[in-house]
Amino acid sequence: MGNKISTVINFDWKPDRKNQLPLSKQIVNYITERISRGDWLIGQKLPSQRDLAKTLNVNRSTIIEALSELNSLGIIEGNFGGGTTITNNTWSLLFSAATPNWKSYIESGIHKANFPTIQAINKLEFEENIIRLSTGEMSPDLFPHEMMKKVLGKIPSRAFSLNYIEPLGLLELRKALSNYLKSFELDVTPSQILIVSGSLQALQLVSISILRPNSTVFIEEPSYVKSLHVFESTGMQMKDVPMDENGLIPWMINKSNIKNDTSILYTIPTFHNPTGLTMSLNRRLEVLRWCKSNQLPIIEDDAYRELWFDELPPVPLKAHDSTGNVLYLGSVSKSLAPGLRIGWVAGPEPVVERLGDIKMQTDYGASSLSQWALTEWIESGLYEEHLKSFRTQLINRRNFVLSFLDQYFADLASWNVPKGGYYIWLKLNLSISTEKLFELAINENILINPGNLYSFTKNPYLRISYSYASLDDLAVGLKRLSEIIRSL
Amino acid sequence: MGNKISTVINFDWKPDRKNQLPLSKQIVNYITERISRGDWLIGQKLPSQRDLAKTLNVNRSTIIEALSELNSLGIIEGNFGGGTTITNNTWSLLFSAATPNWKSYIESGIHKANFPTIQAINKLEFEENIIRLSTGEMSPDLFPHEMMKKVLGKIPSRAFSLNYIEPLGLLELRKALSNYLKSFELDVTPSQILIVSGSLQALQLVSISILRPNSTVFIEEPSYVKSLHVFESTGMQMKDVPMDENGLIPWMINKSNIKNDTSILYTIPTFHNPTGLTMSLNRRLEVLRWCKSNQLPIIEDDAYRELWFDELPPVPLKAHDSTGNVLYLGSVSKSLAPGLRIGWVAGPEPVVERLGDIKMQTDYGASSLSQWALTEWIESGLYEEHLKSFRTQLINRRNFVLSFLDQYFADLASWNVPKGGYYIWLKLNLSISTEKLFELAINENILINPGNLYSFTKNPYLRISYSYASLDDLAVGLKRLSEIIRSL
């Protein structure tokens, strides 16, 4: 199925300067040992000479010496400038048996590898000095550190053990959520709520629990789920539904693609990812009516709801759902801390129980520590308190970024003014390949998410997030990005 | 595929005695509303009259009145003694549209429902007053509460935010583990370690990342993975490998079932679940040699290693693995707290990276809170300290249970004396159906795991766990269980 094995190997090691063995010899020994043990595989690449010298903290001449020896041993091959590849692991009689053919295992696995751009983003996000203009997370500066300290202090007196939890999740948390969700005009009992390890896991559970190969999943065009393989890897087909400024347009759904009892609609009606749009009240009612009359169930992903700026968004589709048509997904990943890995699904009891049964079979439930922590956050009122200050800081960040867009991008792009959430959907005027822009920006230590991650067609969009980078980084990054675009 | 929808509905509600409406009318209104909203579905069953009266805290006559009215409205049907079923949700013009056909969605989902016995166990474990003789968890009494308090107190000064974490998991934790695993004679770098949400998730990731439909997974007979659908649900086939007192017997593997680059061996060589057996050193070397020469990779699940009693078990297969043949799974679920939901996979870098990429696509990583907590547990030395006292307590519990077995089961069964871990594998002398025994025991509020959960054939075994129940419960439960068996 073409999942490529990762190519460049990692060094977590440095030669020992106190060792009597020459540095280059130590390097040769280390590399041969790692290869002979099967930690590194044939086909993997070594880092460039420059990177090796830097990582191992030795002179480049030492690296050249070591690579020459490895080459003469027949262990590596290739142009030393960049592409040194492991070619052999059987040079020694001691290691005459080959390792299993892991390459073949990896390449034929069921689940698709992440898109290369996403893999690159996942790793680059942990590089130092990179300016992250698109990251869909809250800035570490905004993390409510003191409140979390209070919450953690309360856990020992509540959680007398950290054992496995019942299939739907911690009852105390489900009760707290059942109560909290009333503020969104949702009326769901604790038995209708399943705790999951974030909304992405909810989608994964939906795909393996209530859909089947060839099921159709209708999604907004664009949509952040296109950057994932969660539906595709289990054989489902994603079909686009166009959006206008009021949200997705249900009557544009091609009815002939609705297969009986196998299709579902996935939507982020509030502060949509990536466009920042919010579905109007009227459109919500129309979507519900249309889906009801076509027996098309809805997954409503409401992760951004609490991050409104000037006015409350319309209540969830689920609040108007009188026939059990909507599976409602919530999460604290955007509003509090993604690292808790806690979200929830609310819907008809048998569906929620089915998802819970499969969750038990895949990971035995979400972290109890995280579940107790969130229970305490909600019950203590600290969660609401945090949201108030978080909203204010997000508005300031949005305004800050809008002022820089006005300053640097007025003639380069157009954009929406989001009323909540994290994102500005920037449309470039010029016909530039945003994938090319992605690469040029990385060379300048700027990380952006090009629009083609959210759409199956090439498009002139970038997702800009005002939630993550520091204000300084946002200012510098946007200026530099505008200069790169101008240089094209 | 025949996943049944759950049948009995849950009540999280009681009628309001201050309300002027008669209690039976309130009950009718509540039930019709829940059904009309699609929270409960056609085909689901109401609890028995007795259970309803108890749950709703009303007289049985009130229940009979309410059920009669629901029956005359055509909403429910059936024998009121036990099997009242929801039959209609369209009695009102207000709710003329049907809900989506969730039943069909559930029944045709890809992943198989848990075995009914496992579903029952998962739920019964959270009933009050039930004696759990088989539960594979540590007793809440053994939870190191004071140490956990210390650990949680340290987190705020370490975790400055709880954002998403890099694909392989928290670097600090991987470094701590890389170092800790040296005590098992394992030499793995942080780049060779992936943090997962428990070992079960590791198996789930293996099944969707490096196996494919029709892959063969060789497993011990018996094996706890048979109680799961983790391999079956993705279309893999499990093949038995017989065990003797030294562990699985590799030369009994049918070579014709090894398909090139699609097969894998799953083993728990140390304090095996459910038999409690430990593979000898010689057998470990034989397994490795056999698998190496047949290019069969090994998953080594080592969750129980640290729970040894009188002497250290042989070092892991992975410690002897010179060719990258072994994927090593570890976890703190048995040794510290399953609720942390933290385990790890160590193996060749490209395999670990592949699993990490797929983990990112299914749940964006394990709880950061749990990862920080475990880092602190290990680095502070509290983990080792806890293990020392935990081992002593487990030995006492094992001895306690053995003494009761001697007293009550001497003529009924035979068993091994485990040298570590949680389990005694009890073989009944009589030819009793252990499934039948499971039901009879539940009637007496005793929960046991019959041997057929771990084997595809009927067998006379029970898994007894000395880790979970209180000493009083173990004493009472074993005595009562012996009486039930004698009564047959």
Side-chain angles (χ1 to χ4, degrees):
Chain A
M1 303 191 192
N3 307 308
K4 292 282 171 272
I5 68 168
S6 63
T7 47
V8 181
I9 60 179
N10 297 295
F11 279 83
D12 304 294
W13 170 89
K14 285 191 193 346
D16 178 5
R17 288 179 183 275
K18 291 180 194 144
N19 190 318
Q20 293 189 336
L21 224 54
L23 294 175
S24 73
K25 191 68 195 161
Q26 288 184 47
I27 295 170
V28 167
N29 288 352
Y30 181 76
I31 292 179
T32 51
E33 191 199 335
R34 296 297 303 277
I35 295 172
S36 73
R37 285 210 317 233
D39 297 343
W40 298 338
L41 302 184
I42 291 176
Q44 281 195 283
K45 285 209 170 67
L46 294 183
S48 68
Q49 287 184 14
R50 200 182 64 168
D51 286 353
L52 270 175
K54 197 174 146 200
T55 308
L56 302 182
N57 196 23
V58 297
N59 292 329
R60 191 138 169 192
S61 60
T62 308
I63 295 295
I64 291 173
E65 204 181 323
L67 293 181
S68 297
E69 186 175 341
L70 288 166
N71 191 46
S72 68
L73 288 167
I75 292 166
I76 59 169
E77 246 177 40
N79 142 25
F80 289 174
T84 314
T85 306
I86 299 173
T87 52
N88 197 342
N89 58 5
T90 58
W91 61 93
S92 155
L93 287 175
L94 273 172
F95 305 108
S96 56
T99 60
N101 191 353
W102 286 118
K103 189 163 175 286
S104 163
Y105 279 84
I106 290 168
E107 290 178 357
S108 63
I110 296 169
H111 205 291
K112 288 187 183 177
N114 248 321
F115 291 110
T117 313
I118 299 278
Q119 285 197 6
I121 291 172
N122 283 344
K123 285 189 183 169
L124 286 164
E125 285 183 339
F126 296 90
E127 300 273 315
E128 280 174 30
N129 301 323
I130 199 135
I131 295 181
R132 295 159 63 174
L133 288 184
S134 295
T135 298
E137 282 179 67
M138 68 166 68
S139 166
D141 305 342
L142 299 177
F143 180 67
H145 196 265
E146 285 306 309
M147 290 186 193
M148 184 60 96
K149 203 167 161 178
K150 276 190 207 169
V151 165
L152 291 180
K154 288 281 175 58
I155 291 179
S157 61
R158 302 197 64 167
F160 290 107
S161 79
L162 289 176
N163 271 350
Y164 293 111
I165 279 179
E166 50 202 307
L168 294 183
L170 188 68
L171 181 60
E172 286 82 351
L173 177 55
R174 290 185 287 122
K175 282 181 178 167
L177 283 170
S178 169
N179 192 42
Y180 178 71
L181 293 174
K182 289 194 173 78
S183 63
F184 306 164
E185 297 183 28
L186 294 187
D187 181 12
V188 287
T189 65
S191 306
Q192 287 182 266
I193 297 175
L194 169 70
I195 307 301
V196 291
S197 308
S199 299
L200 175 58
Q201 187 184 52
L203 298 184
Q204 170 76 7
L205 289 173
V206 162
S207 84
I208 63 175
S209 305
I210 58 175
L211 299 180
R212 56 191 109 167
N214 291 319
S215 282
T216 304
V217 181
F218 294 98
I219 54 173
E220 284 138 347
E221 162 56 32
S223 173
Y224 109 101
V225 284
K226 287 194 181 172
S227 66
L228 309 169
H229 289 304
V230 61
F231 295 119
E232 276 177 319
S233 276
T234 31
M236 283 120 222
Q237 293 175 348
M238 293 195 269
K239 297 278 182 196
D240 288 344
V241 183
M243 299 177 77
D244 63 18
E245 71 280 9
N246 290 315
L248 77 89
I249 311 172
W251 53 88
M252 299 289 277
I253 292 174
N254 184 342
K255 282 191 195 179
S256 68
N257 285 328
I258 305 182
K259 297 167 207 151
N260 267 349
D261 308 338
T262 63
S263 305
I264 207 157
L265 170 67
Y266 171 81
T267 174
I268 307 177
T270 307
F271 312 132
H272 177 256
N273 180 3
T275 66
L277 286 171
T278 291
M279 195 184 283
S280 65
L281 171 60
N282 270 343
R283 184 60 60 82
R284 284 169 197 247
L285 298 175
E286 280 166 334
V287 167
L288 269 174
R289 206 177 303 131
W290 196 94
C291 288
K292 212 163 115 172
S293 67
N294 289 282
Q295 296 229 350
L296 181 65
I298 299 170
I299 303 171
E300 176 177 27
D301 186 344
D302 214 21
Y304 298 90
R305 156 163 306 274
E306 292 143 307
L307 310 179
W308 48 271
F309 295 155
D310 301 315
E311 53 175 1
L312 280 166
V315 295
L317 295 167
K318 182 71 185 162
H320 299 286
D321 172 28
S322 56
T323 54
N325 221 92
V326 179
L327 285 184
Y328 180 82
L329 311 190
S331 161
V332 292
S333 294
K334 302 304 174 185
S335 58
L336 175 60
L340 287 177
R341 305 309 309 118
I342 299 290
W344 49 90
V345 184
E349 269 188 25
V351 180
V352 165
E353 289 205 1
R354 163 82 176 148
L355 298 175
D357 179 46
I358 306 307
K359 173 148 174 71
M360 283 299 271
Q361 293 188 61
T362 51
D363 67 4
Y364 284 130
S367 161
S368 318
L369 189 54
S370 289
Q371 293 189 68
W372 277 114
L374 184 56
T375 308
E376 179 61 27
W377 268 103
I378 295 174
E379 289 183 354
S380 65
L382 287 171
Y383 183 53
E384 292 268 28
E385 198 180 321
H386 152 72
L387 282 175
K388 272 184 204 148
S389 86
F390 186 44
R391 276 184 209 115
T392 311
Q393 290 171 298
L394 267 186
I395 296 175
N396 292 344
R397 285 175 155 265
R398 176 200 64 175
N399 294 344
F400 184 84
V401 164
L402 287 174
S403 73
F404 277 91
L405 289 178
D406 283 337
Q407 195 175 336
Y408 299 121
F409 285 81
D411 57 330
L412 294 179
S414 57
W415 55 87
N416 59 314
V417 174
K419 294 177 175 171
Y422 282 0
Y423 308 116
I424 292 170
W425 192 227
L426 195 75
K427 183 182 184 184
L428 300 175
N429 296 336
L430 312 158
S431 63
I432 295 169
S433 155
T434 51
E435 285 153 299
K436 170 96 178 151
L437 189 58
F438 172 76
E439 286 176 20
L440 291 171
I442 283 177
N443 292 339
E444 304 267 337
N445 275 336
I446 295 174
L447 195 56
I448 55 170
N449 286 14
N452 63 312
L453 291 178
Y454 310 106
S455 190
F456 294 141
T457 51
K458 283 195 188 296
N459 62 54
Y461 289 93
L462 301 179
R463 184 182 85 173
I464 299 292
S465 165
Y466 41 84
S467 62
Y468 185 80
S470 68
L471 297 183
D472 282 354
D473 276 1
L474 285 169
V476 172
L478 287 169
K479 181 159 185 284
R480 215 183 283 167
L481 183 64
S482 73
E483 287 161 3
I484 298 169
I485 296 171
R486 276 178 215 287
S487 74
L488 288 172
Chain B
M1 306 190 189
N3 306 307
K4 293 284 170 269
I5 67 168
S6 63
T7 47
V8 181
I9 61 179
N10 297 296
F11 278 83
D12 304 295
W13 170 89
K14 288 192 189 347
D16 178 4
R17 289 180 181 275
K18 291 181 192 143
N19 190 319
Q20 293 188 336
L21 223 52
L23 295 175
S24 74
K25 192 69 196 160
Q26 288 184 47
I27 294 169
V28 168
N29 288 353
Y30 181 75
I31 292 177
T32 52
E33 192 199 335
R34 297 295 302 279
I35 296 172
S36 73
R37 283 209 319 232
D39 297 342
W40 298 338
L41 303 185
I42 290 176
Q44 281 194 283
K45 286 208 167 67
L46 294 184
S48 69
Q49 286 185 16
R50 201 182 63 165
D51 285 355
L52 269 176
K54 198 174 146 200
T55 308
L56 302 181
N57 195 21
V58 297
N59 292 330
R60 191 138 169 192
S61 60
T62 309
I63 296 295
I64 292 173
E65 203 181 325
L67 292 183
S68 297
E69 186 174 343
L70 288 166
N71 191 46
S72 69
L73 287 167
I75 292 165
I76 59 168
E77 247 177 38
N79 139 28
F80 288 176
T84 314
T85 306
I86 300 173
T87 51
N88 197 342
N89 59 5
T90 59
W91 61 91
S92 154
L93 287 176
L94 272 173
F95 306 107
S96 56
T99 60
N101 191 355
W102 285 118
K103 190 164 175 285
S104 161
Y105 279 84
I106 290 169
E107 289 178 357
S108 63
I110 295 169
H111 206 292
K112 287 189 183 174
N114 249 321
F115 292 110
T117 312
I118 300 277
Q119 284 197 8
I121 291 172
N122 283 344
K123 283 190 183 167
L124 285 165
E125 284 184 339
F126 296 92
E127 299 275 314
E128 280 174 30
N129 301 322
I130 200 136
I131 295 181
R132 295 159 62 175
L133 289 185
S134 297
T135 298
E137 282 179 66
M138 69 166 68
S139 164
D141 304 343
L142 300 178
F143 180 68
H145 196 264
E146 284 307 309
M147 291 186 193
M148 185 59 97
K149 202 166 162 179
K150 276 190 206 167
V151 165
L152 292 179
K154 289 280 175 58
I155 292 178
S157 62
R158 304 197 63 167
F160 291 107
S161 78
L162 290 176
N163 271 350
Y164 293 111
I165 279 180
E166 49 201 308
L168 294 183
L170 188 68
L171 181 60
E172 285 83 350
L173 177 56
R174 290 185 287 122
K175 283 181 179 169
L177 283 171
S178 169
N179 192 42
Y180 178 70
L181 292 174
K182 289 193 173 77
S183 62
F184 307 163
E185 298 183 26
L186 294 186
D187 181 13
V188 288
T189 64
S191 305
Q192 285 181 267
I193 297 174
L194 168 69
I195 306 301
V196 290
S197 307
S199 298
L200 175 59
Q201 188 184 52
L203 298 185
Q204 169 76 7
L205 290 173
V206 163
S207 84
I208 63 176
S209 304
I210 58 174
L211 300 180
R212 55 192 109 166
N214 292 318
S215 282
T216 303
V217 183
F218 294 98
I219 55 173
E220 284 137 350
E221 161 57 33
S223 173
Y224 109 101
V225 284
K226 287 194 181 169
S227 66
L228 309 169
H229 288 305
V230 60
F231 295 120
E232 277 177 317
S233 275
T234 30
M236 282 120 223
Q237 291 173 351
M238 292 195 268
K239 297 276 183 200
D240 288 344
V241 183
M243 300 175 78
D244 62 19
E245 70 281 6
N246 290 315
L248 77 88
I249 312 173
W251 52 88
M252 299 288 278
I253 293 173
N254 184 343
K255 282 191 193 178
S256 69
N257 285 328
I258 304 182
K259 298 166 205 150
N260 267 350
D261 307 340
T262 63
S263 306
I264 207 158
L265 171 66
Y266 171 81
T267 175
I268 308 177
T270 307
F271 312 132
H272 177 258
N273 180 0
T275 66
L277 288 170
T278 291
M279 195 185 285
S280 64
L281 170 60
N282 269 344
R283 185 61 59 81
R284 283 170 200 246
L285 298 176
E286 281 166 333
V287 168
L288 270 173
R289 206 176 305 130
W290 197 94
C291 288
K292 213 163 116 173
S293 68
N294 288 283
Q295 295 229 349
L296 181 65
I298 299 170
I299 304 170
E300 176 177 25
D301 186 342
D302 214 21
Y304 298 91
R305 158 164 305 276
E306 290 143 309
L307 311 179
W308 49 271
F309 295 156
D310 302 314
E311 53 175 1
L312 280 166
V315 297
L317 295 168
K318 183 71 185 162
H320 300 285
D321 172 29
S322 57
T323 53
N325 221 91
V326 179
L327 286 183
Y328 180 81
L329 310 190
S331 161
V332 292
S333 294
K334 304 303 173 185
S335 59
L336 176 62
L340 286 177
R341 306 307 310 117
I342 299 292
W344 48 91
V345 185
E349 269 190 28
V351 180
V352 165
E353 290 203 4
R354 163 80 176 150
L355 298 174
D357 180 44
I358 306 307
K359 173 147 174 72
M360 284 299 272
Q361 293 188 61
T362 51
D363 68 4
Y364 283 130
S367 161
S368 318
L369 190 52
S370 290
Q371 292 188 70
W372 277 113
L374 183 56
T375 308
E376 180 61 27
W377 269 104
I378 296 174
E379 289 183 354
S380 64
L382 288 171
Y383 183 53
E384 292 266 30
E385 196 181 323
H386 152 73
L387 282 175
K388 274 184 205 147
S389 85
F390 185 43
R391 276 184 210 116
T392 311
Q393 289 171 299
L394 267 186
I395 296 175
N396 292 343
R397 285 176 154 264
R398 179 201 62 174
N399 294 343
F400 184 83
V401 164
L402 287 174
S403 72
F404 278 92
L405 289 179
D406 283 337
Q407 194 174 339
Y408 298 122
F409 286 79
D411 57 331
L412 294 178
S414 56
W415 55 88
N416 59 315
V417 174
K419 295 177 175 171
Y422 282 0
Y423 309 115
I424 292 171
W425 192 228
L426 195 74
K427 184 181 182 184
L428 299 175
N429 297 334
L430 312 158
S431 64
I432 294 167
S433 154
T434 51
E435 285 153 300
K436 170 94 178 155
L437 189 60
F438 173 77
E439 285 177 21
L440 291 172
I442 283 176
N443 292 340
E444 305 267 336
N445 275 337
I446 296 173
L447 196 56
I448 55 170
N449 286 15
N452 63 313
L453 291 176
Y454 310 106
S455 190
F456 294 141
T457 51
K458 283 195 189 300
N459 63 54
Y461 289 94
L462 301 179
R463 185 183 83 174
I464 299 292
S465 166
Y466 42 83
S467 63
Y468 184 81
S470 68
L471 296 184
D472 283 352
D473 276 1
L474 284 169
V476 172
L478 287 169
K479 180 158 185 285
R480 215 183 282 167
L481 184 64
S482 73
E483 288 161 3
I484 297 169
I485 295 172
R486 278 178 211 287
S487 74
L488 288 174

